[in-house]
Amino acid sequence: MRLVQSFAFAAVLLLSSALSAAAHSAREDIEAALVKFMDAFNSGNAAAVGQMYTDDAALLPPDGKRVDDRKGVEEFWQAQSRPG
């Protein structure tokens, strides 16, 4: 869960720099995507989380190894949602 909080915190920092009207719209889109992500993650639906990434996605978790492609990202988030 700490990892998810780190990603969420990073997203909030990025959002706080939005100043223009276009940035405001982008901020709303990012906030909606974050809510969708958290709902999918919290429900344990790694497939739904994985669908938010492109086929050639790369995930760079803090203090972890790079994870490539949608399937790898999905497996990463599945492992993060397991209790333990």
Side-chain angles (χ1 to χ4, degrees), residues 36-75:
K36 184 177 174 183
F37 176 93
M38 293 301 294
D39 288 345
F41 179 82
N42 288 335
S43 70
N45 190 346
V49 173
Q51 289 301 311
M52 293 179 201
Y53 291 82
T54 61
D55 290 334
D56 62 348
L59 183 66
L60 304 168
D63 300 322
K65 293 184 178 185
R66 176 181 164 138
V67 178
D68 289 305
D69 69 55
R70 182 181 286 158
K71 182 172 174 40
V73 169
E74 188 176 314
E75 290 170 356

Side-chain angles (χ1 to χ4, degrees), residues 11-29:
V12 169
L13 286 177
L14 290 171
L15 293 173
S16 67
S17 66
L19 298 175
S20 69
H24 181 71
S25 176
R27 179 183 178 136
E28 291 172 348
D29 292 345

